[in-house]
Structure formats: C-alpha cells, structure tokens
Amino acid sequence: MSVIVIQFITLDGIVSDPDGFGGTPTGGWAFRHGPETVAGDKFRLGSTLDEGVMLLGRTTWQLFSRLWPGRDDPFSARMNAARKLVASRTLTDASAWGNSQVIDGSLVDAVKRERCDVIVTGSVSVVRALMAEDLIDEYRLLTFPTVLGTGERLFPTDGPPTYLECLSAEQAGAAVLTRYGRTAG
C-alpha cells in the first residue's frame, strides 16, 4: 500500500484554487493553459485508480461530486467507478457521487487500515494531516509555469524540511509532471 498525493501546483508552490471555483483573485491559474493540460490521466494513475481508493476532503469531494458524475469520457468513467473515501466532520451523505463513503472515525486510522493504494486528490488539509504522520510515499505534481506569490502552499513555510527523491519528470502540455518519493534512509 502506498499513499500518493496528486496536486496541481505553481512554480512557487501554490496549490489553492487551481480551477477558480474558490473565487480567489488568482484562482483558475491551471485552466489558463487550456483544457488539454488538465484533461485525462495527467497524473499517470492508470490501474492505480482502478485498484486503489481515492481520498478527498469534503470541499474537494463536493466540487468533484458536481462535476464528474455527468461526464462520460473514458477517464471520467474510471473516476466515477473508483472507490472514494471522504474525510469530513460535517458531511453525512456521500450518495451524490457513486462509490463514495464518509470516513467513520480517524482519517489517519482509515488510511492505515487500507490495503490498496490511496490517492489523495487536492485536499490540502488531508495532505497535511498525512504529512504530520509521515504517511505519504509519493507526490505527483503537475507544475504550471505560473508564479502567484500568494495562496496556500503544499509545503507550509513553517513546516519541517521534507527531503524527496525525483522519480521522473515529463512535459504534459504547458505543465510538467514530476514524481517525487521518499528518500531512502
């Protein structure tokens, strides 16, 4: 079992509001590069999406539950068929998006119980909770040639150092997909 974080990110490490749905002044930065940059399996999840479980925070899940069920392309079909866990203290009904269930109890305990790969999509608060417990095995970052200067960062400025190993890097439209794993030792 691996925990894989996937994120749209700017050159200066900002992950907040890539689609503009958050209504921030700099929101929508990922989509300024055209739909081909964000469409399909840009994170190279492949069978991991089919065999693993997606983990989303409430806000991300609510946004996705309005967008994905109405899509019918091959990647959307995989997203809709995937098993989904929702980390939320307030959401009780996850029926709006098939194969979704709200985590009962501790987020960390739920992740530790999983026997398949866990794909954390967006959801910075979930990522940070897993970072704090050293549970993240891989980061797949789609880095856009954008510098915002403000917004929520994936790695907080007041957090401990994080040492990673670059596993791969490839251009994906206007962005670059980089994969980072834990360093040995």
Side-chain angles (χ1 to χ4, degrees):
M1 187 275 287
S2 292
V3 176
I4 303 165
V5 169
I6 62 173
Q7 289 281 344
F8 291 155
I9 191 167
T10 65
L11 283 174
D12 56 343
I14 305 298
V15 293
S16 52
D17 205 12
D19 50 23
F21 285 109
T24 64
T26 57
W29 48 267
F31 291 79
R32 289 189 173 104
H33 299 280
E36 65 281 349
T37 301
V38 296
D41 189 8
K42 291 298 188 233
F43 291 100
R44 306 291 186 259
L45 294 170
S47 63
T48 305
L49 187 59
D50 302 330
E51 299 162 8
V53 60
M54 293 177 63
L55 173 60
L56 307 102
R58 178 193 50 80
T59 302
T60 303
W61 181 87
Q62 285 177 321
L63 173 64
F64 282 19
S65 72
R66 291 189 300 270
L67 297 174
W68 288 100
R71 297 178 179 178
D72 62 0
D73 61 274
F75 181 70
S76 296
R78 289 176 102 175
M79 286 282 287
N80 290 326
R83 189 166 63 97
K84 301 160 205 68
L85 295 176
V86 185
S88 176
R89 291 182 191 93
T90 57
L91 186 70
T92 55
D93 180 11
S95 63
W97 193 14
N99 303 314
S100 295
Q101 111 183 37
V102 177
I103 293 172
D104 185 26
S106 161
L107 163 67
V108 170
D109 289 344
V111 170
K112 287 180 177 180
R113 280 192 303 269
E114 280 300 322
R115 296 293 164 238
C116 60
D117 290 336
V118 176
I119 304 160
V120 185
T121 307
S123 308
V124 176
S125 61
V126 171
V127 172
R128 296 244 176 95
L130 299 178
M131 279 180 182
E133 297 293 325
D134 196 29
L135 291 175
I136 299 172
D137 299 294
E138 183 179 338
Y139 294 88
R140 294 187 189 183
L141 307 178
L142 197 57
T143 306
F144 290 81
T146 302
V147 176
L148 297 176
T150 186
E152 191 165 16
R153 297 181 186 287
L154 177 60
F155 299 99
T157 56
D158 60 348
T162 302
Y163 300 100
L164 303 169
E165 173 185 3
C166 184
L167 304 174
S168 67
E170 66 179 279
Q171 188 165 356
V176 174
L177 174 64
T178 50
R179 293 179 55 217
Y180 296 97
R182 294 184 200 204
T183 57

